[in-house]
Amino acid sequence: MTIRLFTHSKEETKALGRKIASFLKPGDVVVLSGDLGAGKTTLTSGVGEGLGVNEEVLSPTFNILKCYFRGRIPFYHIDAYRLEGQHIEIGLDEAIEGDGACFVEWPQFIEPLLPEERLEIEIHNQGENDREFVFTDPTDSYEWIASLEAKQ
Ligand code: ADP
Ligand code: MG
């Protein structure tokens, strides 16, 4: 299934993230693709708000992995940009196969670690404040994406 949604501000993208958060369960893996500045971290920070992680989710680029344990379920945020395919042992596999939900920016750099049952979100920059979100669920494991469309 593929779903297309549009936002017209950073706040609308955060609201979309909060809505996504309400459907997440342990073991979910969401991969985000899109250029620098597309809104991957902004969407993820809305998810953190929705889960109630109790602190702002910021870009983890310099940390690669950030873990938030104070929300409804554990939340793992990976930004693989700086790995560029290198293998370093920092517990990414535990975050991905873990007891919470995991959001991954630049998933192409950790492709071998990612499960088949993942939700893919592609973000396209369509102008200063306009973004298109394309949700693809190749294994039909995230059927709730249909209700994101209905509510917008
Ligand atoms: P990425 O993690 O993909 O590199 P960020 O989320 O860090 O991107 O940055 C997105 C940038 O785009 C922010 O500066 C944000 O204010 C801006 N922006 C403008 N419109 C939107 C929108 N509709 N959704 C998300 N971000 C937006
Ligand atoms: Mg980012």
Side-chain angles (χ1 to χ4, degrees), residues 7 9-10 13 35-42 105 128-129 131:
T7 70
S9 67
K10 182 178 180 164
T13 296
D35 295 339
L36 214 59
K40 303 179 294 295
T41 301
T42 302
E105 298 186 42
E128 197 181 345
N129 296 307
R131 303 289 188 271

Side-chain angles (χ1 to χ4, degrees), residues 78-100:
I78 294 171
D79 185 329
Y81 189 70
R82 305 211 138 226
L83 285 176
E84 294 184 349
Q86 301 166 80
H87 292 281
I88 55 173
E89 196 36 69
I90 50 168
L92 294 183
D93 43 355
E94 281 92 344
I96 292 162
E97 294 155 21
D99 51 354

